[in-house]
């Protein structure tokens, strides 16, 4: 735990070496990161994961929940850990935070990995039924998990991978505060995007997603990569928003190859 501005931030580190910061997405805690990804990356890097404001063991503080504030939280967190520069990987909402971090504090970011990302929420939005399921806070926890699974994985994959699903999700995933999740959804909706600003980003950037992403259709990744002057786009066939769980070995290989270049 470390004090960052008005909050106590909970974090964990794996391995040694050059710092690699992972920024979690909407509704998740640091416990949700794919174990094989952490183990693989920790062989070469000091991997740092943390709970965003209001999630897991990190306190909510008194500041507004915005993508910009989450980016400032991340920046101050890095300063508190005396990290001068790091590779940064963000997933979904975490990738929006990573973009804001790189735009606001370019000197602290080395290589950038934007996994399941976009530069504006309204350009290629998900289908309305997907959006309503995402923002539904009335379901019971078990119903919500099943809904979420159907959103992040293709239905055929769910049918054929029940053991893998149990391995991923039947473990302690940390405290997912419903109030904080609602505030995160509001922060996502309020974000004005980065489409007009990211052409100025000079960081080497990997944009990666599953081709069948229902939550953030992969057209978003294509458009984002087209705006970034120093980017590489990778779309994985027959994979969704949960790409790192579906194809962990392929995902790990692509991430490692990009960082090793």
């Amino acid at each position: 735990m470390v004090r960052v501005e008005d909050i106590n931030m909970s974090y964990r580190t794996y391995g040694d070496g050059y710092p690699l910061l992972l920024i979690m997405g909407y509704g998740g805690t640091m416990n949700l990161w794919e174990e094989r990804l952490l183990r693989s990356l920790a062989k070469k890097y000091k991997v740092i994961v943390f709970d965003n404001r209001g999630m897991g063991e990190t306190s909510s503080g008194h500041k507004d929940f915005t993508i910009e504030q989450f980016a400032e939280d991340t920046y101050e967190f890095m300063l508190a850990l005396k990290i001068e520069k790091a590779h940064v990987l963000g997933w979904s909402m975490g990738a929006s935070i990573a973009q804001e971090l790189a735009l606001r504090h370019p000197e602290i970011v080395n290589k950038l990995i934007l996994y399941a990302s976009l530069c504006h929420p309204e350009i290629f939005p998900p289908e309305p039924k997907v959006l309503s399921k995402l923002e539904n806070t009335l379901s019971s926890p078990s119903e919500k998990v099943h809904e979420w699974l159907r959103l992040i994985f293709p239905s055929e994959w769910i049918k054929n991978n029940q053991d893998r699903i149990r391995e991923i999700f039947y473990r302690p995933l940390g405290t997912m505060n419903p109030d904080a999740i609602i505030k995160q959804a509001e922060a996502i909706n309020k974000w004005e995007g980065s489409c007009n600003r990211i052409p100025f980003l000079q960081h080497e950037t990997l944009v990666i997603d599953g081709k069948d992403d229902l939550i953030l259709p992969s057209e978003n990744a294509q458009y984002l990569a087209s705006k970034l002057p120093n980017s590489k786009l990778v779309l994985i066939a027959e994979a969704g928003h949960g790409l790192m769980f579906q194809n962990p070995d392929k995902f790990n290989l692509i991430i490692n190859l990009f960082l090793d270049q």
Side-chain angles (χ1 to χ4, degrees):
M1 193 76 76
V2 66
R3 186 71 182 175
V4 174
E5 295 195 342
D6 63 324
I7 56 176
N8 293 317
M9 285 187 82
S10 178
Y11 72 99
R12 204 175 291 136
T13 63
Y14 302 83
D16 295 303
Y18 190 82
L20 170 59
L21 191 76
L22 274 52
I23 308 178
M24 179 44 66
Y26 169 69
T29 71
M30 61 181 167
N31 292 12
L32 189 54
W33 287 109
E34 162 59 31
E35 286 293 327
R36 272 187 266 182
L37 175 68
L38 297 176
R39 285 200 301 272
S40 170
L41 294 172
K43 290 174 185 173
K44 294 181 187 172
Y45 302 97
K46 181 178 184 178
V47 180
I48 303 144
V49 298
F50 63 97
D51 286 327
N52 286 313
R53 178 180 290 262
M55 295 301 293
E57 301 307 311
T58 296
S59 54
S60 293
H62 56 77
K63 296 188 177 181
D64 288 344
F65 279 48
T66 64
I67 299 299
E68 294 83 355
Q69 183 58 56
F70 299 151
E72 289 306 311
D73 291 344
T74 307
Y75 173 68
E76 294 293 340
F77 170 67
M78 292 172 76
L79 292 186
L81 295 189
K82 297 182 168 54
I83 298 170
E84 293 179 8
K85 199 164 192 169
H87 298 317
V88 176
L89 184 162
W91 177 27
S92 195
M93 181 190 81
S96 299
I97 298 167
Q99 288 180 54
E100 282 294 342
L101 177 67
L103 287 161
R104 288 163 166 260
H105 306 284
E107 74 290 345
I108 210 165
V109 177
N110 191 344
K111 291 189 177 183
L112 190 58
I113 301 166
L114 303 175
Y115 160 33
S117 192
L118 43 61
C119 67
H120 196 284
E122 291 173 9
I123 295 179
F124 298 104
E127 292 182 12
K129 63 181 181 183
V130 170
L131 210 52
S132 65
K133 285 178 183 175
L134 263 180
E135 294 179 354
N136 173 22
T137 56
L138 301 175
S139 301
S140 70
S142 62
E143 285 172 337
K144 191 135 184 69
V145 166
H146 287 295
E147 273 187 0
W148 198 63
L149 288 177
R150 288 193 291 270
L151 293 180
I152 70 167
F153 298 125
S155 54
E156 194 65 25
W157 188 87
I158 293 173
K159 201 187 304 177
N160 298 327
N161 290 274
Q162 288 298 309
D163 287 347
R164 177 73 179 121
I165 286 168
R166 278 190 285 273
E167 183 187 329
I168 298 162
F169 296 106
Y170 287 46
R171 58 192 174 103
L173 293 176
T175 305
M176 297 176 182
N177 182 333
D179 289 342
I181 292 173
I182 291 167
K183 287 180 181 177
Q184 282 189 345
E186 290 168 355
I188 291 166
N189 292 331
K190 281 188 294 190
W191 187 47
E192 292 184 359
S194 62
C195 301
N196 297 330
R197 294 177 292 147
I198 52 171
F200 298 102
L201 270 184
Q202 296 303 314
H203 304 75
E204 279 186 70
T205 306
L206 172 66
V207 180
I208 184 167
D209 197 7
K211 272 190 182 171
D212 300 330
D213 191 334
L214 295 177
I215 294 174
L216 295 179
S218 60
E219 289 88 348
N220 284 291
Q222 292 172 287
Y223 186 71
L224 177 65
S226 75
K227 291 274 188 181
L228 284 159
N230 198 9
S231 69
K232 177 184 180 184
L233 173 67
V234 178
L235 295 177
I236 307 297
E238 297 176 5
H241 202 72
L243 163 65
M244 71 171 165
F245 301 114
Q246 270 185 271
N247 297 295
D249 296 332
K250 182 182 279 190
F251 186 81
N252 295 350
L253 179 63
I254 292 165
I255 300 301
N256 276 297
L257 284 173
F258 172 71
L259 293 177
D260 287 349
Q261 286 168 358

